[in-house]
Amino acid sequence: MTIPAFGLGTFRLKDEVVIASVKNALELGYRTIDTAQIYDNEAAVGQAIAESGVPRDALFITTKIWIENLSKEKLVPSLIESLKKLRTDYVDLTLIHWPSPDDAVEVEEFMSALLAAKKQGLTREIGISNFTIPLMEKAIASVGAENIATNQIELSPYLQNRQVVEWAQQHGIHITSYMTLAYGKALKDETILRIAAKHSATAAQVILAWAMGEGYAVIPSSTKPENLASNLLAQDLQLDQEDKKAIAALDCNDRLVSPEGLAPKWD
């Protein structure tokens, strides 16, 4: 099973806001939804999906295990709780949201528990998020690269994370990009705006098309129906070599997500 290239993110969206976003997205044709235990919106996402009338087998739903649930005693029960909230018997992809701070829970323990969840049919695929190269090595040693569907990492024109990307790709691990628009900062970038004007596209479309063109999956979020619709069109935009070269030059290792006490030692 391959990870869909384009989906809807729900980070920081809650209650009626996330219900509206998910419903609007599904109506527009989105079929991939990304949530997480810590977002505190799984129940709202589940409600939106149920009310949308879109059949479950047409959807690709991702959730992520929070650090407090990484132990072998807690991981599977926490995922079962997530499934109840999402009103589904299984998710398509379950990720370890962040590696355990200070290795409080060993990689081998939580990856083995996650693989057990897959074998129980609670999730069709498993993967990781915010994993560095040393952590990916440990994950592969624990469950095999063939059992790691993706590594979801912060990746934008300003943080292209080439070292991690190349290592992952060499070992057969797909990359999902989050924070692809750099909290909206990249939407004002002169280089991006120039490329957008050239293609009669929006800045967001250019950035999302760039990421997908690099082979990454993207999960932008939006609360505005017009932006949800516009972002979808990024799938049809083809950038040329000149565009790609210009965006490659924007990389400045500008990381926006590095929570103290949670972030690993970045590559």
Side-chain angles (χ1 to χ4, degrees):
M1 186 170 78
T2 53
I3 306 290
F6 194 91
L8 178 75
T10 62
F11 176 53
R12 290 190 163 173
L13 307 184
K14 288 193 185 179
D15 306 325
E16 293 304 321
V17 174
V18 81
I19 290 169
S21 176
V22 172
K23 276 186 168 176
N24 286 330
L26 291 171
E27 203 170 300
L28 287 163
Y30 284 72
R31 291 295 177 264
T32 300
I33 313 288
D34 179 281
T35 181
Q37 293 175 343
I38 197 67
Y39 295 175
D40 193 25
N41 65 11
E42 288 173 315
V45 168
Q47 181 185 330
I49 289 169
E51 290 174 2
S52 76
V54 176
R56 174 64 186 93
D57 60 7
L59 296 169
F60 189 101
I61 303 171
T62 299
T63 195
K64 310 180 198 83
I65 306 290
W66 187 240
I67 56 167
E68 287 165 8
N69 298 324
L70 290 179
S71 70
K72 59 177 182 287
E73 294 81 19
K74 290 184 177 176
L75 193 146
V76 168
S78 83
L79 181 55
I80 290 169
E81 186 61 31
S82 291
L83 297 183
K84 282 182 194 158
K85 290 176 180 173
L86 288 162
R87 307 189 194 186
T88 181
D89 298 330
Y90 69 96
V91 281
D92 299 276
L93 176 63
T94 304
L95 306 178
I96 298 296
H97 202 155
W98 288 87
S100 185
D102 300 320
D103 278 337
V105 182
E106 294 287 338
V107 173
E108 206 273 330
E109 179 176 336
F110 61 68
M111 290 308 297
S112 298
L114 196 54
L115 187 58
K118 181 181 175 181
K119 287 174 179 166
Q120 286 175 46
L122 303 175
T123 182
R124 291 173 70 197
E125 295 289 342
I126 63 174
I128 53 184
S129 180
N130 299 302
F131 272 47
T132 59
I133 292 170
L135 287 162
M136 282 192 284
E137 286 177 322
K138 286 185 181 178
I140 288 171
S142 303
V143 298
E146 70 280 4
N147 281 309
I148 302 171
T150 196
N151 185 9
Q152 187 178 122
I153 57 173
E154 182 185 348
L155 202 152
S156 75
Y158 301 141
L159 180 73
Q160 297 185 22
N161 235 323
R162 294 282 174 202
Q163 205 183 342
V164 170
V165 167
E166 283 164 19
W167 194 95
Q169 289 173 340
Q170 282 163 10
H171 292 79
I173 297 177
H174 174 268
I175 294 289
T176 299
S177 157
Y178 76 79
M179 213 59 73
T180 318
L181 307 177
Y183 272 143
K185 199 161 71 163
L187 299 177
K188 304 180 192 86
D189 189 275
E190 283 179 21
T191 299
I192 301 289
L193 289 168
R194 193 183 71 241
I195 296 168
K198 173 177 149 184
H199 292 278
S200 302
T202 66
Q205 286 167 355
V206 167
I207 298 163
L208 297 169
W210 161 75
M212 287 186 284
E214 296 289 310
Y216 318 140
V218 294
I219 43 169
S221 66
S222 181
T223 55
K224 296 178 180 169
E226 60 273 25
N227 289 347
L228 288 167
S230 174
N231 288 348
L232 258 186
L233 299 175
Q235 296 173 98
D236 304 323
L237 176 59
Q238 296 291 325
L239 302 183
D240 60 33
Q241 287 308 118
E242 189 188 343
D243 302 330
K244 291 174 186 175
K245 201 173 164 187
I247 294 173
L250 296 176
D251 190 11
C252 56
N253 200 36
D254 184 13
R255 187 181 295 280
L256 299 174
V257 182
S258 190
E260 200 177 333
L262 189 59
K265 187 174 180 293
W266 299 113
D267 299 289

